[in-house]
Amino acid sequence: MRPKITIIGAGFTGSTTAHWLAAQELGDIVLLDVMEGMPQGKSLDLQEALPIISSDVSVRGTNDYLDTAGSDIIVITAGAARKPGMSREDLLNTNAAIVRSAVDSSVPHSPNAVLVVLTNPLDTMAYLAYRRSGFPKARVVGQAGILDSARMRAFVAMELGVSVENVHTYVMGGHGDEMVPLTRHSNVAGVPLLEMLAPDRLQAIVERTRKGGGEIVNLLKTGSAYFAPAAAVAQMVSAILKDKHLIVPCSAMLEGEYGLRDMFFGVPTQLGRSGVERVVEVPLDEVEKQALAASAALVRESLATLERLSA
Ligand code: APR
């Protein structure tokens, strides 16, 4: 029997995630949305594409959580997308209500699933899903670091004219403009990035990475990025279902790692069949530690806002 993957929210990110997952034949997919007909229509369209790309998974659209029962993985993308001028934090109130309802409606039907959260503000929504679900911390993980690192990889590869496969970058911290691209730990085919790029070019790439989400929001005007976020989720789902023990940056529950606790935060995690198998601790220098602390302070602020709004 193939694994079962539910995607809650069949908008741009959700349907693109379904596309990547189906193309990789990772499992049978249930695409759920509150809008009637929309998830059914998109699923049927995707199902009809699969003969062309030789994929045998089933893709089912629904508005009924009963259809999600027994899922191995639940991806939560439901929520409002960011508009120009709107920070991820502006979304907090609206999206908290949506994530609560997605967790409350799905978890009782799939008590053993791994929850993968994509809804922004990411670290806060992942924390909310963790608390609300009652799942162990290993089975709740947020998507952010793979996307942020991929953006930086793309920019470095474009700048140097090398394959993206040669570029290894590390972006940690909260999924916001204070994220922490770790240039000292990044390399191109093993050569430290600091030796491959002039300081001003490297700084420009770091800044562009930090503002990568906003750059796309400003271009699209009516929504936020979805191809790259969805591809990042597909890599996480693949690592979990194939039990790969893959180390990738994700938002995970911290209990003392990096001196932080009781919060979700972007750190290198090892993903396998049980979810987050461990958080990997990278040795950091003082400047990196300070940058991480500034990023953590923003996530804490967002968590405090969530608490105030829910009181
Ligand atoms: N339950 C299920 N689906 C819902 C709910 C709900 N309670 N509320 C809203 N949705 C659905 C909407 O109907 C819509 O189809 O979520 C979908 C969101 O899709 P888009 O508006 O296309 O937004 P998208 O670009 O996919 O972004 C979704 O992911 O990357 C993050 O910041 C982004 O938080 C945003 C989320």
Side-chain angles (χ1 to χ4, degrees), residues 8-15 32-35 38 42 65 76-83 88 91 95 97-99 101-102 118-121 125 143 147 175 222-226 229:
I8 304 176
F12 283 102
T13 318
S15 55
L32 181 143
D33 203 283
V34 282
M35 283 179 67
M38 186 268 263
K42 288 188 177 183
Y65 276 94
I76 302 180
T77 79
R82 208 153 50 120
K83 307 270 169 8
R88 291 185 177 93
L91 287 178
N95 284 355
I98 294 174
V99 168
S101 115
L118 230 121
T119 307
N120 276 313
M125 292 302 112
Q143 180 296 124
L147 165 66
H175 186 49
T222 54
S224 54
Y226 52 95

Side-chain angles (χ1 to χ4, degrees), residues 17-194:
T17 299
H19 181 190
W20 291 116
L21 296 176
Q24 292 178 48
E25 247 181 343
L26 283 172
D28 290 332
I29 298 162
V30 176
L31 193 55
L32 181 143
D33 203 283
V34 282
M35 283 179 67
E36 284 180 24
M38 186 268 263
Q40 291 86 344
K42 288 188 177 183
S43 297
L44 185 58
D45 186 14
L46 182 51
Q47 186 82 69
E48 290 166 359
L50 298 187
I52 304 168
I53 59 166
S54 307
S55 171
D56 274 311
V57 299
S58 93
V59 187
R60 176 170 187 186
T62 186
N63 310 111
D64 184 350
Y65 276 94
L66 273 179
D67 293 327
T68 70
S71 293
D72 296 285
I73 298 194
I74 298 170
V75 180
I76 302 180
T77 79
R82 208 153 50 120
K83 307 270 169 8
M86 199 177 179
S87 76
R88 291 185 177 93
E89 308 310 318
D90 292 335
L91 287 178
L92 196 147
N93 208 8
T94 313
N95 284 355
I98 294 174
V99 168
R100 271 189 209 106
S101 115
V103 169
D104 292 355
S105 312
S106 63
V107 157
H109 299 295
S110 302
N112 301 314
V114 176
L115 281 177
V116 178
V117 180
L118 230 121
T119 307
N120 276 313
L122 189 273
D123 304 282
T124 311
M125 292 302 112
Y127 181 86
L128 174 63
Y130 164 66
R131 286 280 173 223
R132 196 82 183 178
S133 65
F135 278 3
K137 64 177 180 175
R139 286 203 279 120
V140 184
V141 61
Q143 180 296 124
I146 298 178
L147 165 66
D148 298 328
S149 302
R151 284 187 173 138
M152 189 168 169
R153 288 174 69 189
F155 301 148
V156 170
M158 288 190 280
E159 176 85 14
L160 293 174
V162 299
S163 165
V164 290
E165 290 184 51
N166 286 136
V167 185
H168 305 279
T169 65
Y170 240 123
V171 180
M172 285 179 56
H175 186 49
D177 294 348
E178 292 300 316
M179 67 181 73
V180 186
L182 290 179
T183 49
R184 202 167 59 90
H185 298 268
S186 303
N187 70 77
V188 178
V191 181
L193 197 52
L194 299 170

